[in-house]
Amino acid sequence: MGWHRLSHDEHIIAARQPARGRRGIAVAAVAPGDPAPARHRKEHGVNVSDYMVQRLSEWGVRRIYGYPGDGINGILGGLDRADGAIDFVQTRHEELAAFMACAHAKFTGDVGVCLATSGPGAIHLLNGLYDAKMDHQPVVAIVGQAATFSMGGEFQQEVDLTTLFKDVAHEYVEVVMTPEAVRHTIDRAFRIALSQRTVTCIIVPKDIQEKPAVPKPPHEHGTVHSGVGYTPPRVIPAEYDLQRAADVLNAGSKVAMLIGAGALGAQNEVIETADVLQAGIAKALLGKAALPDDLPFVTGSIGLLGTRPSWDMMTDCDTLLMVGSSFPYAEFLPKEGQARGVQIDIDARMIGIRFPMEVNLVGDTRETLRALLPLLRPKQDRSWREGIAGKLRDWWSELEARAMMSADPINPQRVFWEASPRLPDNCILTSDSGSAANWFARDIRIREGMMSSLSGNLATMGPGVPYAIAAKFAFPDRAVVAMVGDGAMQMNGNNGLITVAKYWREWSDPRLVVLVLNNRDLNQVTWEMRAMEGDPKYEASQELPDFPYAHYGEMLGLRGIRVDRPEMIASAWDEAFASDRPVVLEAYTDPNVPPLPPHITLKQAKSFGSAVLHGDEDRVGFVKESVKELVAGVLPGRGS
């Protein structure tokens, strides 16, 4: 799965998010420097926590995800006294809070904010923060700390938080040691998070939270006087480099494009470029929603979770245009010497590290393509693109044949295939890591207006449900679907459902559907063991306990739907999308249906054979299902 840095134009972001402050633009709920409303002040006046909440409001923050603890009691009191200026969403675990902050950033373009107490609470944030860092999302973590006078004294829950966060928040992690430092610490944390598209961290000791606020530092030597607000710059490559890129692209006769999340918000420019070049377009998974899948030149996902048309296009092309993606798997890109290359990315650090590009363009996708288009010569030969369209038609027929094959009891591919045409317009999709991501990548056909995301570079388990919850808070009027395996559900998802039960009545559209693939197996790793290592399934590590997910949802006051026969799938989706409350849709699926890559290498075939020879307990089932999958590829539409 490829990921990268991205830069959205301001009006694109405003169109994608609800009425909130546009990314990085200050929206003052309280005028800068003004004290909090008198009715909310403590007897001793406005304290640092009150001022922090005010400053966060000035940066456009309207929601914080977190979990309470005595190390942040002062900040929680400030949020309470702010009379709803910022909503506090109570998660079941700090890791989920960090995932939600990451998803908020992904779906809105704004900074996501999470809050945790000192010590253990701060430690729990790390996985979700690394997810944000590695997918280049602006997130600010605010954490408590022991009082300044006890720091260094081995006090209870005292952890060296600066060291702890130094890697994940390497651009900016600071301890607020005086009330005067609060203003510039918040301002720098937000501005750096936005400009570098990264994680920053503010550490606030307990006693500092309760001290009287100092909104304006004294005007004297050694003080820092900062302000609110950030607007992304217009970044366009030099004209000389644009012409060099155009020369390479104009010379090609078989152009392949690979786009990622950096292409979000630049749909018209990407399509126009592809039309001029008569190019096909593959999508890294974080860029799945950048273009709809009904375009006849969009080959879908790339990589192990990708499509055969994407593989064929990269194998046969003579020119590669990579836009807003750092897709990491070189074996799915053209071989060195086969194709000339041009890359566009907003982050110079991500340029030229996946393929030896002839021309590297550092710039915003939308602006760079606009500048490049007048230099491109329209190609008259349509045979390359027509060949791609023909392969795509065959591929969709093959996927349907695979999905409709029998399994014991349900083929997981069919669950996704049946969902795809039933997805509500403009819905938001999330997926978790695991085999669910395979079917999400291949069988779900994105339509214009939809959004989607999952954990990209970190590929961690557990964000599927918290991502979906954050999407519902950001867009309460849109339907949201989380597609999750039972491993991720048992890890984080079940706890996330408790949060859903707590808050769903606040959403104007209550539709949040959590699909759980109940196959009692950590399926992705099981198949990786077989195909990559040649090892049989290791029961002790791979088998999961059965759990009644749908019934559990009912216990929480949600709707539960359990499907264990293929003929039930279509009506189950219809029922889920017609529900007046969130739904847990539990599909009892066959773990032996293989997530086959778009091609099988000799090494993978040998490993697969080794797993059989070494006595995999499910060898009869997975060999049978694998043969059926391969037959579907040769004879589309004839699987049964």
Side-chain angles (χ1 to χ4, degrees):
M1 292 173 281
W3 306 93
H4 44 10
R5 301 217 168 190
L6 62 151
S7 175
H8 300 305
D9 288 67
E10 286 300 299
H11 69 278
I12 291 293
I13 290 169
R16 292 178 60 205
Q17 65 184 24
R20 295 288 187 265
R22 295 188 302 172
R23 201 187 87 198
I25 305 302
V27 180
V30 182
D34 287 353
R39 62 194 175 92
H40 295 302
R41 297 183 202 169
K42 285 189 170 183
E43 292 181 3
H44 59 267
V46 176
N47 66 17
V48 164
S49 295
D50 296 318
Y51 179 72
M52 285 183 65
V53 174
Q54 173 194 316
R55 199 66 172 182
L56 294 173
S57 293
E58 291 168 17
W59 274 99
V61 176
R62 296 294 175 265
R63 186 173 301 106
I64 292 176
Y65 298 97
Y67 199 80
D70 66 344
I72 51 172
N73 277 348
I75 298 172
L76 294 171
L79 287 167
D80 185 29
R81 291 188 294 276
D83 197 27
I86 297 178
D87 294 331
F88 178 78
V89 177
Q90 182 203 76
T91 64
R92 312 275 61 77
H93 189 285
E94 290 89 354
E95 180 180 312
L96 277 71
F99 279 138
M100 291 180 194
C102 177
H104 178 93
K106 286 184 173 184
F107 290 128
T108 70
D110 285 332
V111 177
V113 182
C114 53
L115 176 65
T117 190
S118 55
I123 293 167
H124 283 163
L125 290 175
L126 287 176
N127 193 36
L129 293 182
Y130 271 103
D131 183 40
K133 176 191 175 182
M134 295 181 71
D135 282 355
H136 310 294
Q137 297 302 315
V139 169
V140 173
I142 302 172
V143 297
Q145 177 59 294
T148 54
F149 46 76
S150 61
M151 289 171 64
E154 295 286 337
F155 200 75
Q156 185 187 33
Q157 294 192 339
E158 182 189 355
V159 172
D160 184 353
L161 295 178
T162 303
T163 299
L164 181 74
F165 287 101
K166 196 60 180 177
D167 180 54
V168 73
H170 70 280
E171 297 282 358
Y172 192 76
V173 51
E174 291 294 333
V175 182
V176 177
M177 296 302 290
T178 68
E180 291 83 354
V182 170
R183 189 171 88 174
H184 71 256
T185 303
I186 291 176
D187 292 348
R188 292 209 72 210
F190 273 77
R191 194 170 288 111
I192 290 170
L194 284 164
S195 64
Q196 302 302 308
R197 301 205 57 80
T198 193
V199 174
T200 59
C201 179
I202 302 169
I203 302 166
V204 192
K206 250 181 111 170
D207 57 322
I208 297 296
Q209 298 171 31
E210 297 290 344
K211 289 183 179 293
V214 183
K216 296 180 181 179
H219 191 69
E220 60 186 44
H221 179 70
T223 58
V224 177
H225 298 261
S226 62
V228 170
Y230 172 79
T231 302
R234 186 182 185 214
V235 183
I236 305 176
E239 290 184 13
Y240 171 72
D241 290 322
L242 288 167
Q243 186 60 61
R244 289 175 57 225
D247 291 343
V248 171
L249 297 171
N250 287 332
S253 59
K254 296 186 290 186
V255 181
M257 294 178 65
L258 171 58
I259 65 171
L264 292 167
Q267 175 176 309
N268 292 340
E269 289 74 14
V270 170
I271 291 175
E272 186 176 355
T273 301
D275 285 343
V276 170
L277 297 173
Q278 285 295 294
I281 304 177
K283 300 186 290 186
L285 200 46
L286 274 180
K288 184 174 176 66
L291 287 181
D293 286 312
D294 56 5
L295 297 173
F297 50 87
V298 172
T299 61
S301 301
I302 188 172
L304 286 168
L305 281 61
T307 70
R308 188 176 297 115
S310 291
W311 167 262
D312 290 343
M313 181 174 67
M314 291 297 166
T315 301
D316 297 336
C317 72
D318 62 18
T319 309
L320 173 64
L321 173 57
M322 199 167 175
V323 180
S325 175
S326 63
F327 175 76
Y329 301 118
E331 68 270 28
F332 292 95
L333 298 177
K335 294 180 180 178
E336 287 196 37
Q338 170 197 322
R340 303 175 75 184
V342 174
Q343 184 177 0
I344 300 171
D345 204 287
I346 191 67
D347 185 356
R349 293 174 295 186
M350 306 308 294
I351 285 286
I353 62 172
R354 305 305 187 203
F355 186 82
M357 298 293 178
E358 193 168 332
V359 183
N360 292 304
L361 301 177
V362 177
D364 173 79
T365 295
R366 186 183 179 94
E367 296 286 354
T368 301
L369 290 178
R370 282 179 172 177
L372 181 63
L373 274 163
L375 306 177
L376 300 177
R377 294 195 300 268
K379 298 189 186 299
Q380 303 304 316
D381 186 353
R382 300 178 181 275
S383 58
W384 167 246
R385 223 195 210 188
E386 289 171 354
I388 290 171
K391 290 180 178 179
L392 267 171
R393 287 190 295 270
D394 292 342
W395 173 251
W396 286 116
S397 295
E398 178 180 332
L399 280 186
E400 182 176 15
R402 289 185 182 187
M404 294 304 166
M405 286 179 173
S406 60
D408 184 20
I410 287 177
N411 184 337
Q413 294 167 106
R414 182 166 178 175
V415 180
F416 289 75
W417 184 266
E418 297 276 16
S420 192
R422 293 175 169 82
L423 293 172
D425 291 339
N426 300 314
C427 69
I428 303 173
L429 308 176
T430 70
S431 178
D432 222 301
S433 298
S435 61
N438 288 275
W439 318 130
F440 165 73
R442 294 180 187 167
D443 291 279
I444 295 296
R445 300 180 78 160
I446 287 286
R447 302 195 302 274
E448 188 169 357
M450 292 181 178
M451 290 193 285
S452 71
S453 198
L454 77 177
S455 176
N457 284 306
L458 188 60
T460 182
M461 287 177 66
V465 172
Y467 268 30
I469 296 170
K472 282 301 296 187
F473 275 110
F475 299 94
D477 58 340
R478 298 173 71 164
V480 175
V481 183
M483 299 174 173
V484 182
D486 46 3
M489 201 66 191
Q490 292 182 17
M491 185 177 287
N492 276 345
N494 284 340
N495 274 350
L497 291 179
I498 302 174
T499 302
V500 174
K502 177 179 172 69
Y503 289 106
W504 71 266
R505 291 173 181 83
E506 299 180 11
W507 303 327
S508 54
D509 184 334
R511 290 179 297 173
L512 189 160
V513 180
V514 178
L515 166 67
V516 187
L517 299 183
N518 186 352
N519 58 23
R520 293 75 60 205
D521 181 53
L522 290 172
N523 202 232
Q524 186 78 1
V525 175
T526 295
W527 282 102
E528 287 170 347
M529 284 177 161
R530 289 166 176 162
M532 296 180 182
E533 309 301 330
D535 291 327
K537 176 179 175 178
Y538 180 40
E539 290 184 53
S541 71
Q542 299 310 108
E543 286 196 355
L544 287 171
D546 200 353
F547 185 89
Y549 302 98
H551 181 60
Y552 177 62
E554 294 276 1
M555 290 173 59
L556 293 173
L558 312 177
R559 177 146 294 132
I561 303 172
R562 188 178 188 276
V563 176
D564 57 11
R565 298 193 311 276
E567 62 270 19
M568 300 170 63
I569 297 172
S571 60
W573 279 115
D574 291 337
E575 182 182 349
F577 290 129
S579 176
D580 63 351
R581 65 192 62 207
V583 174
V584 179
L585 175 53
E586 177 185 1
Y588 217 69
T589 55
D590 188 345
N592 291 317
V593 175
L596 292 178
H599 75 296
I600 302 292
T601 66
L602 180 60
K603 181 179 179 181
Q604 289 168 334
K606 288 181 177 178
S607 296
F608 189 81
S610 176
V612 175
L613 292 173
H614 285 86
D616 192 303
E617 65 162 7
D618 293 331
R619 59 188 179 276
V620 174
F622 76 67
V623 169
K624 176 183 175 184
E625 295 301 328
S626 298
V627 169
K628 287 162 65 176
E629 292 278 311
L630 293 171
V631 168
V634 177
L635 302 172
R638 297 193 184 181
S640 60

